[in-house]
Amino acid sequence: MSGLNPQQREAIHYLDGPLLVLAGAGSGKTRVITQKIAYLIRDCGFQPRSVAAITFTNKAAKEMQERVARLLSRSTAEEAQISTFHALGVRILREEATALGFKPRFSIFDAADSAGIISEVSGTVDKATLRHLQAIISHWKNALVTPEAAARLARNALEARAAHTYLSYEATLKAYQAMDFDDLIGLPVRLFGEFPEIAEKWQNRLRYLLVDEYQDTNACQYQLLKLLTGIGARFTAVGDDDQAIYGWRGADIENLKRLPAEFPGLKVIKLEQNYRSTARILKAANNVIAHNEKLFDKNLWSELGHGDQITVTACKDNEAEAEGVVMKLQAHRFEHRGRFGDYAILYRSNHQARLLETQLRNQKIPYLLSGGQSFFDKAEIKDIVAYLRLLANADDDPAFIRAATTPRRGIGAATLQVLGQYAGERHVSLFDAAFEEGLGHRIQPRQLEPLLVFCRFISRLRQRAGREPAQQVLADLLQAIDYETHLSDHEDERTARTRWGNVCEFTEWLDRKGEEEGKTLIDLTQGIALINLLDKQDSADIDAVQLSTLHAAKGLEYRHVFLVGVEEGILPHRESLDPTKLAEERRLMYVGITRAQRSLHLSYCERRKQARDLIPGEPSRFIAEMGREDIRFSGGKESVAADKATGSARLDALKAMLSGNKR
């Protein structure tokens, strides 16, 4: 454990009760968690399988596991329970499903699957209404509000409709023997509450719990943690109240406040030494966050030197801002002989990326866009993949439901509900249940016939998919379901053409892969889950500028950061000006500042183009809160001449540098 500071060592070794580690940005929290896992297993006699470390993303879980593997061994790291909240929930529910009336092989519905059911039971196809209904139901689920309680809590017509939809939605999920993403946390909470003996079993199985990014937990996750730790309270929670930026999706900073009250013996250890940023950057971050009411006093410091001045640039408009940021980034890179991968451009909202992308493309600068939609996340690709998944595995119930209803073929929600109930009672898949004689006693022949036609079609294709060339089977599949016509019937001409183009691109890719590797469609389908045409796993190895929202950048760091659109109405957002929301916007600014290791560059617009209008802008209040001492301001009327002179001199220097490189 060499190289650890005293606070880190104390956090690792403390086992006398519940522990809260307040880990400031860049203070080495992941190192503390992984070292503590190693300490528990190697020095304290804990079995690897009895130590659970819970985080929020697969990426974070994977990084944690890799670090533990380097400290102990690969097999030990894999045996330790290092996972996301949802993965832990799945593990609990697979084992205990029957107690809640589910089969162990229940289906898990993604957001698109859920939206399809909500559309069906609510009777709406309006996308905006669907998004609202889905968000309200998800919020209720994460707050542990039942459908019955939701009906009582509804404050307006939309919430009343959502409550009614919620009740039908839950019944449909149960009928399908399916759970949605929120259920993976909510149902274990219900399970442990209703069956104390099952809770005790899991408490005995998981002897020590470590929780990463604790400030981002919602009410449901908090209850799950309480139920898992039990009266022994053997846990270490690691978090930072200054980085709580997910209130909009249900995260509750109050969970941090509750800990000392609910666990009187709680020990608090602060990690305040920052290993990421220079003193100037940290001073600006500390100055900003000091304007928030504090749960815990904390002041980051660094031994990495004073560092460069922070720059704040006023820009004429958002087009000028995008052009100026890209030019400044290029100049900085040449001057410092850096890599494109050393740079990140961060912003409050996704729409701000468009102009930046245009400028980067114009300058032929490689970039990566965080949060962009994966090719496999497109609805049309998921539709086709549902058929392929069903061909590869007839027990894949979510794939069955999606394929059976896309395109529509006379199989309605009522039919699927009866099928789901029957399959649940018989403990078989939906596909197998369709062929059982008993189902015929539950539904009318006119309902059964289209279901059987579909299942027989899948059976014929399954037989072919395991032996015939992928190209031929795919072509026949697309022709048989007439997917192109389906798109034309449900989308405008342009959208339909784009989506059909994506389907063609996907099938051509599968064709090539099948031909090159001599694989059948079944072989290819089984590998699809591991293949992503826009795979970002190795993005760290790509020398490219990172474009990202502030929310997506949390937990990451970059040598040089450009933070754009730092103006009133954007950061803070115009809809977040009440005191509670403003505090979260300030934390978002704090997160943005603390992503930077060596240099930080802010910009704002004096006017912002919106459609054909020019909207006057003013610098964000957060810029003033940073303090002026370590900031160099440029732009604006006062400094136009100076900026031009500086720009010309810099351009001359760059030209000289480039000509020198050529020699």
Side-chain angles (χ1 to χ4, degrees):
M1 295 195 187
S2 61
L4 295 167
N5 65 42
Q7 290 76 27
Q8 289 174 325
R9 278 196 294 273
E10 186 184 9
I12 291 165
H13 292 143
Y14 186 81
L15 295 176
D16 294 338
L19 172 65
L20 171 62
V21 179
L22 285 170
S27 63
K29 69 177 177 68
T30 305
R31 189 179 186 194
V32 167
I33 293 170
T34 51
Q35 289 276 6
K36 188 155 190 170
I37 294 170
Y39 174 68
L40 288 165
I41 295 168
R42 185 183 55 219
D43 301 312
C44 302
F46 281 78
Q47 292 295 314
R49 64 180 176 274
S50 72
V51 178
I54 308 170
T55 187
F56 278 84
T57 66
N58 289 320
K59 184 180 178 182
K62 187 179 178 183
E63 182 190 350
M64 216 174 274
Q65 196 167 58
E66 290 293 330
R67 291 201 193 188
V68 173
R70 289 197 290 272
L71 292 168
L72 299 173
S73 70
R74 174 66 56 187
S75 60
T76 304
E78 288 173 355
E79 198 179 340
Q81 307 295 306
I82 302 172
S83 71
T84 62
F85 274 97
H86 293 92
L88 176 62
V90 170
R91 194 153 62 245
I92 294 167
L93 289 167
R94 291 285 185 213
E95 191 168 323
E96 313 292 351
T98 51
L100 292 171
F102 285 86
K103 60 184 183 183
R105 293 185 66 182
F106 59 83
S107 301
I108 300 170
F109 281 7
D110 63 15
D113 297 324
S114 297
I117 297 174
I118 290 171
S119 174
E120 195 77 47
V121 299
S122 68
T124 184
V125 293
D126 180 70
K127 289 180 179 177
T129 304
L130 272 176
R131 278 197 303 272
H132 286 308
L133 292 174
Q134 199 166 7
I136 294 168
I137 292 169
S138 179
H139 175 75
W140 279 331
K141 282 195 164 194
N142 285 316
L144 297 170
V145 175
T146 64
E148 294 76 18
R152 293 191 299 271
L153 292 170
R155 297 167 299 181
N156 52 48
L158 182 63
E159 288 188 359
R161 186 179 184 182
H164 181 72
T165 302
Y166 184 13
L167 190 65
S168 302
Y169 173 65
E170 288 291 273
T172 305
L173 283 178
K174 191 65 181 287
Y176 289 170
Q177 287 287 293
M179 299 177 191
D180 65 17
F181 209 54
D182 297 322
D183 288 330
L184 302 181
I185 312 294
L187 286 179
V189 171
R190 183 184 140 196
L191 176 80
F192 291 160
E194 291 180 6
F195 303 94
E197 68 281 9
I198 296 178
E200 189 178 354
K201 181 177 87 175
W202 282 89
Q203 289 165 8
N204 291 331
R205 185 179 296 183
L206 303 176
R207 306 293 298 176
Y208 201 92
L209 214 59
L210 300 103
V211 187
D212 191 20
E213 304 286 8
Y214 181 79
Q215 76 281 349
D216 294 334
T217 55
N218 59 33
C220 199
Q221 289 158 339
Y222 179 73
Q223 285 302 320
L224 180 61
L225 293 171
K226 274 186 67 181
L227 290 163
L228 275 172
T229 56
I231 55 173
R234 300 175 300 272
F235 70 83
T236 294
V238 182
D240 182 7
D241 52 318
D242 292 333
Q243 295 187 74
I245 59 172
Y246 294 116
W248 54 275
R249 70 179 188 195
D252 189 356
I253 195 171
E254 292 294 315
N255 289 347
L256 272 170
K257 287 184 183 177
R258 290 189 189 105
L259 274 182
E262 296 206 19
F263 299 95
L266 182 78
K267 185 174 179 65
V268 178
I269 297 173
K270 299 175 187 178
L271 304 183
E272 296 174 295
Q273 183 174 358
N274 175 286
Y275 296 93
R276 175 186 299 160
S277 308
T278 62
R280 270 179 165 144
I281 292 169
L282 288 184
K283 184 179 174 184
N286 287 332
N287 286 345
V288 169
I289 207 65
H291 288 76
N292 273 0
E293 186 181 334
K294 305 289 283 185
L295 289 181
F296 303 93
D297 285 326
K298 187 168 72 286
N299 197 56
L300 293 185
W301 59 277
S302 169
E303 293 180 340
L304 297 177
H306 212 45
D308 296 342
Q309 273 191 308
I310 297 165
T311 68
V312 175
T313 304
C315 305
K316 183 178 70 174
D317 55 37
N318 37 333
E319 289 181 359
E321 181 183 43
E323 185 180 359
V325 163
V326 171
M327 286 184 64
K328 193 171 181 177
L329 186 153
Q330 268 188 308
H332 193 279
R333 175 177 168 267
F334 280 126
E335 287 175 17
H336 293 81
R337 303 286 202 277
R339 299 168 66 252
F340 285 120
D342 294 336
Y343 293 83
I345 305 176
L346 309 180
Y347 36 83
R348 174 64 174 81
S349 302
N350 276 308
H351 69 84
Q352 294 170 262
R354 186 179 59 81
L355 289 173
L356 293 161
E357 285 191 85
T358 301
Q359 287 297 328
L360 289 164
R361 284 197 299 269
N362 289 346
Q363 298 299 322
K364 296 181 171 55
I365 296 173
Y367 67 91
L368 292 168
L369 186 66
S370 278
Q373 190 184 38
S374 160
F375 190 79
F376 276 86
D377 285 336
K378 296 180 185 295
E380 60 272 22
I381 304 302
K382 292 177 80 167
D383 287 343
I384 305 304
V385 168
Y387 282 90
L388 302 185
R389 282 166 48 193
L390 194 55
L391 296 182
N393 176 16
D395 290 342
D396 190 332
D397 287 350
F400 180 97
I401 292 166
R402 190 169 189 128
T405 55
T406 314
R408 291 283 178 191
R409 47 175 54 85
I411 304 171
T415 303
L416 287 172
Q417 278 196 19
V418 175
L419 178 65
Q421 285 166 343
Y422 180 80
E425 292 166 14
R426 297 278 297 137
H427 302 290
V428 296
S429 68
L430 298 177
F431 183 86
D432 288 340
F435 290 106
E436 291 199 358
E437 188 178 340
L439 181 67
H441 302 304
R442 303 274 188 99
I443 58 175
Q444 299 294 319
R446 60 181 175 80
Q447 292 174 291
L448 184 60
E449 183 56 29
L451 186 64
L452 289 174
V453 167
F454 169 71
C455 291
R456 288 167 186 149
F457 164 66
I458 295 296
S459 290
R460 291 193 299 273
L461 271 184
R462 285 188 74 204
Q463 290 173 0
R464 293 178 57 196
R467 60 175 188 262
E468 295 182 22
Q471 188 174 6
Q472 189 56 55
V473 181
L474 263 174
D476 291 350
L477 168 65
L478 288 174
Q479 187 177 0
I481 67 174
D482 199 10
Y483 192 76
E484 188 175 8
T485 302
H486 163 73
L487 290 174
S488 299
D489 291 344
H490 290 84
E491 305 285 356
D492 62 73
E493 186 181 349
R494 184 178 174 185
T495 304
R497 197 163 54 245
T498 301
R499 292 181 65 183
W500 178 246
N502 290 333
V503 171
C504 293
E505 182 186 340
F506 175 56
T507 55
E508 286 164 9
W509 174 75
L510 280 177
D511 291 346
R512 284 197 308 275
K513 210 152 176 69
E515 200 170 326
E516 290 167 4
E517 300 178 13
K519 289 183 174 179
T520 66
L521 194 56
I522 294 290
D523 296 329
L524 291 172
T525 301
Q526 288 169 341
I528 278 178
L530 305 173
I531 303 163
N532 191 325
L533 300 181
L534 300 177
D535 196 350
K536 299 288 197 301
Q537 276 197 344
D538 300 321
S539 62
D541 302 327
I542 302 171
D543 187 22
V545 175
Q546 184 69 58
L547 294 182
S548 174
T549 63
L550 289 165
H551 287 99
K554 186 167 165 287
L556 303 175
E557 59 187 32
Y558 307 93
R559 287 186 70 81
H560 311 289
V561 168
F562 288 82
L563 182 49
V564 305
V566 190
E567 57 206 69
E568 291 292 308
I570 294 180
L571 183 64
H573 196 273
R574 62 181 178 275
E575 294 177 5
S576 302
L577 298 180
D578 71 74
T580 305
K581 290 180 178 176
L582 184 62
E584 182 156 319
E585 291 289 297
R586 187 172 282 112
R587 292 194 291 270
L588 195 57
M589 178 73 175
Y590 175 85
V591 165
I593 294 170
T594 55
R595 296 315 91 197
Q597 295 173 304
R598 295 293 173 266
S599 74
L600 176 64
H601 311 272
L602 279 63
S603 57
Y604 67 91
C605 299
E606 296 175 325
R607 294 184 301 279
R608 183 165 289 273
K609 287 184 180 176
Q610 292 183 4
R612 295 182 179 180
D613 299 324
L614 273 174
I615 311 298
E618 58 181 286
S620 168
R621 67 193 73 190
F622 300 149
I623 292 175
E625 290 176 3
M626 291 167 67
R628 299 185 65 88
E629 191 179 340
D630 297 301
I631 296 178
R632 185 175 75 248
F633 292 87
S634 65
K637 294 173 184 175
E638 305 83 19
S639 54
V640 167
D643 284 350
K644 281 184 178 176
T646 304
S648 298
R650 180 165 284 183
L651 191 59
D652 291 341
L654 283 175
K655 285 177 179 175
M657 194 183 298
L658 288 169
S659 62
N661 287 341
K662 286 175 184 175
R663 289 195 294 271

